[in-house]
Amino acid sequence: MALLEVKNIKKSFGRTEVLKDISFSLEKGEVLAIIGSSGSGKTTLLRCINFLETPQEGVISVNGEVLFDGADPSKKRESEIRKNRLHFGMVFQQFNLFPQYTVFENLILAPQLMAKEQIKVKGEYMGAKTYKQAQDEIKSEAEKLLKKVGLTEKSKSYPCDLSGGQQQRVAIARALALNPDVLCFDEPTSALDPELTGEVLNVIKGLKSTDSTMIVVTHEIGFARDVADKIIFMDNGVIEEEGTPAQVIENPKSPRTKEFLSRFNQFGD
Amino acid sequence: MDQFSTVTGQLLEGFSQNCIIFAVTLVAAIPLGLIISLGSMSKFAPLKALTRTFVWIIRGTPLMLQIFVVFYVPPLLFGVRMRERIAAAIIAFIINYAAYFSEIFRGGIEGIPKGQYEAGQVLGMKKSQIFFKVVLMQVFKRIVAPMSNEIITLVKDTSLARVIAIPEILKEAENFSKQGLIWPLFYTGAFFLLFCGVLTLLFRFIEKKLDYYKG
């Protein structure tokens, strides 16, 4: 069974149809890269999966559990959506770190709030029975994550004192702190200077080796080719072509895909 | 010298009235302003229209007129008279300043990038958690400068309370001038300058405290 299953997603803003019947699935440990020109619907698709947008139609399920069904209004309740969001982590183009908190505080804020709530309601959070226990756990996990993204020494810095690449690495660690099933990246390097993209892409590559399931919306075709197990080329709200990097990037079948990729090849990507 | 200390004592007594109006208005108008600002950003159209109309009326009419209205209209309508004149003045000040504060709060809240809310959402936070743990502190930093402006204006506006015969500092000085003693009128300026000077230092301190981060 696929880890993530997305079926017949349709999304319009007013009269503009942005997603026209999108379906795909993702196995555990797979990396999916979504490529395509601006306005093709890539980001909207990612935002639908994270429930930042509500599709008009379609079904999203994780591990066979239906998280969203356009036909079922009970799946659109705020409390339900909030719970379901935890299956996904999201890394934004603009990082969106919380500026008033240190790097470390950025990592532990959400897990701490979650732990407080769950210990109250369920009596435990990830095996910890008391808030004190949970907090120790959260802190040591945050330290591990900072080490993973190579920013241990920046733990006490504020986001404004970091470079863009460092901020994005913190954002990745923050998203991982809640242990999501699928980690999503929305053009994670588009807001960075070219010389800073490498460090972020390397972190993402590193995650692949630890079997994280990821969806990456990107313009870095070379990166997509190297890291992705599966590539989706989106055009005008539909999946124009999908397959392995060898199929989509090396031997595209659709004329639109060819045209899109030729623009990249021109510059010797 | 004897005259100077008499005048100073009298003016200080008057200034205590200004201080009371200032303090009570500040304490009450900030939470009320926050509530009004939430109303003016509401997605519920009638509430939004109502609060925006309210803000328009309050900001569009003189504070002095509002003091008159609060003081004279309840007795005319219901035959009740406020026992303390200062209560009428304070109510007018609270309403007036809450309206101005609400616009500052609205600007501060609306200026927070959408990405901050979305980052909180994808981390599984509740709306209230996002507001209190993520947004509020950033709003606070953004509004320190405009709020300090408004609060300093409030200090000086308190002297408007004399229009309903509250014995505030300028009223006391006027009493001296009616007896032919003009200088106490100008002397009142020193009280305001001193008070506003302290506030300016306080706001500078707060701004510095919040300087540890940008954004």
Side-chain angles (χ1 to χ4, degrees):
Chain A
M1 185 174 54
L3 174 69
L4 170 68
E5 194 131 18
V6 172
K7 268 189 256 167
N8 311 105
I9 292 288
K10 288 182 188 168
K11 172 73 187 169
S12 310
F13 293 108
R15 268 193 230 152
T16 322
E17 262 189 294
V18 183
L19 298 176
K20 307 164 188 169
D21 202 12
I22 300 281
S23 303
F24 69 88
S25 65
L26 199 60
E27 301 292 331
K28 190 169 166 42
E30 266 188 332
V31 178
L32 166 69
I34 304 177
I35 58 172
S37 42
S38 302
S40 59
K42 316 181 291 288
T43 293
T44 305
L45 175 60
L46 205 60
R47 290 172 60 85
C48 285
I49 293 170
N50 279 278
F51 309 105
L52 289 172
E53 305 287 353
T54 311
Q56 275 85 17
E57 286 177 43
V59 177
I60 298 171
S61 32
V62 168
N63 278 326
E65 182 197 351
V66 175
L67 303 183
F68 177 85
D69 185 345
D72 181 358
S74 76
K75 297 283 182 200
K76 293 179 186 168
R77 272 200 309 263
E78 178 64 26
S79 58
E80 187 80 4
I81 289 173
R82 197 166 75 86
K83 195 182 80 200
N84 291 337
R85 274 200 181 111
L86 294 174
H87 290 285
F88 302 93
M90 176 80 156
V91 174
F92 298 89
Q93 187 177 345
Q94 300 294 341
F95 332 133
N96 296 341
L97 295 176
F98 306 134
Q100 74 269 40
Y101 294 123
T102 63
V103 165
F104 195 68
E105 289 165 341
N106 262 278
L107 261 61
I108 62 175
L109 177 66
Q112 278 185 333
L113 293 171
M114 193 67 63
K116 231 178 233 172
E117 188 183 336
Q118 291 201 354
I119 285 171
K120 214 180 198 178
V121 179
K122 292 189 206 156
E124 64 136 21
Y125 174 77
M126 293 189 161
K129 296 272 185 267
T130 65
Y131 181 61
K132 181 85 190 58
Q133 250 176 0
Q135 208 168 17
D136 292 342
E137 195 67 28
I138 288 165
K139 282 181 180 166
S140 82
E141 181 64 24
E143 276 160 19
K144 272 185 226 156
L145 286 169
L146 275 183
K147 200 172 166 202
K148 203 171 189 173
V149 298
L151 287 171
T152 303
E153 77 284 6
K154 295 287 181 192
S155 166
K156 289 193 171 67
S157 303
Y158 287 91
C160 60
D161 298 321
L162 303 181
S163 72
Q166 290 171 332
Q167 288 191 48
Q168 192 61 300
R169 279 146 68 196
V170 175
I172 292 171
R174 183 176 70 173
L176 287 169
L178 287 168
N179 230 334
D181 295 314
V182 182
L183 186 55
C184 303
F185 297 83
D186 182 17
E187 301 191 24
T189 57
S190 294
L192 299 176
D193 288 338
E195 68 259 39
L196 297 177
T197 58
E199 55 183 277
V200 172
L201 296 179
N202 281 335
V203 168
I204 301 175
K205 270 185 199 163
L207 292 177
K208 181 186 161 72
S209 65
T210 59
D211 253 1
S212 300
T213 312
M214 295 187 276
I215 303 176
V216 189
V217 167
T218 186
H219 287 299
E220 304 273 345
I221 303 298
F223 170 75
R225 186 182 49 212
D226 294 347
V227 173
D229 301 296
K230 194 181 207 174
I231 292 197
I232 284 178
F233 172 67
M234 278 184 72
D235 188 47
N236 206 10
V238 296
I239 295 180
E240 181 72 20
E241 193 159 351
E242 77 176 294
T244 63
Q247 289 167 334
V248 179
I249 294 181
E250 314 293 345
N251 296 298
K253 301 222 162 41
S254 137
R256 267 301 289 136
T257 319
K258 283 180 189 164
E259 188 194 336
F260 176 78
L261 290 169
S262 71
R263 266 178 277 156
F264 280 94
N265 293 336
Q266 254 174 15
F267 300 108
D269 180 68
Chain B
M1 194 59 217
D2 198 31
Q3 190 188 45
F4 181 76
S5 53
T6 316
V7 169
T8 304
Q10 201 65 38
L11 291 188
L12 261 179
E13 208 165 291
F15 200 55
S16 70
Q17 298 287 301
N18 299 70
C19 291
I20 291 168
I21 297 171
F22 171 80
V24 179
T25 301
L26 196 57
V27 169
I30 287 176
L32 185 61
L34 190 60
I35 293 168
I36 295 170
S37 76
L38 294 177
S40 71
M41 290 181 289
S42 170
K43 284 187 189 124
F44 182 56
L47 179 63
K48 184 169 162 172
L50 193 75
T51 44
R52 295 214 168 173
T53 308
F54 169 78
V55 171
W56 169 63
I57 291 171
I58 298 300
R59 294 202 305 174
T61 55
L63 175 54
M64 197 192 282
L65 176 60
Q66 291 162 15
I67 298 172
F68 282 137
V69 169
V70 175
F71 186 63
Y72 289 116
V73 171
L76 286 175
L77 284 183
F78 314 109
V80 286
R81 194 173 186 91
M82 249 171 270
R83 219 173 294 154
E84 297 277 350
R85 282 164 182 269
I86 198 166
I90 286 173
I91 289 169
F93 270 92
I94 291 172
I95 293 171
N96 183 279
Y97 272 83
Y100 279 96
F101 288 166
S102 78
E103 284 297 281
I104 294 177
F105 297 156
R106 186 170 70 84
I109 293 171
E110 288 181 341
I112 302 297
K114 214 172 112 211
Q116 291 289 309
Y117 293 92
E118 291 185 345
Q121 282 175 327
V122 296
L123 290 168
M125 292 187 203
K126 287 186 219 167
K127 276 185 178 160
S128 60
Q129 290 173 334
I130 295 173
F131 185 75
F132 288 109
K133 298 283 179 182
V134 175
V135 174
L136 196 60
M137 184 72 168
Q138 296 181 50
V139 172
F140 188 69
K141 182 175 163 112
R142 279 160 192 254
I143 64 173
V144 171
M147 280 299 277
S148 64
N149 234 347
E150 210 54 53
I151 289 169
I152 283 172
T153 305
L154 170 62
V155 178
K156 294 165 293 172
D157 273 356
T158 54
S159 61
L160 277 175
R162 75 180 181 286
V163 298
I164 52 169
I166 289 166
E168 56 76 53
I169 187 167
L170 273 168
K171 182 88 183 163
E172 296 290 350
E174 272 173 350
N175 290 342
F176 284 115
S177 71
K178 276 176 196 151
Q179 296 158 24
L181 205 60
I182 296 293
W183 64 265
L185 212 44
F186 307 116
Y187 180 32
T188 59
F191 291 78
F192 287 103
L193 276 176
L194 193 69
F195 197 98
C196 291
V198 172
L199 283 180
T200 306
L201 290 178
L202 181 68
F203 286 123
R204 204 173 293 163
F205 173 76
I206 293 173
E207 270 184 63
K208 222 177 209 140
K209 272 269 167 213
L210 291 172
D211 219 23
Y212 69 90
Y213 76 91
K214 288 186 193 70

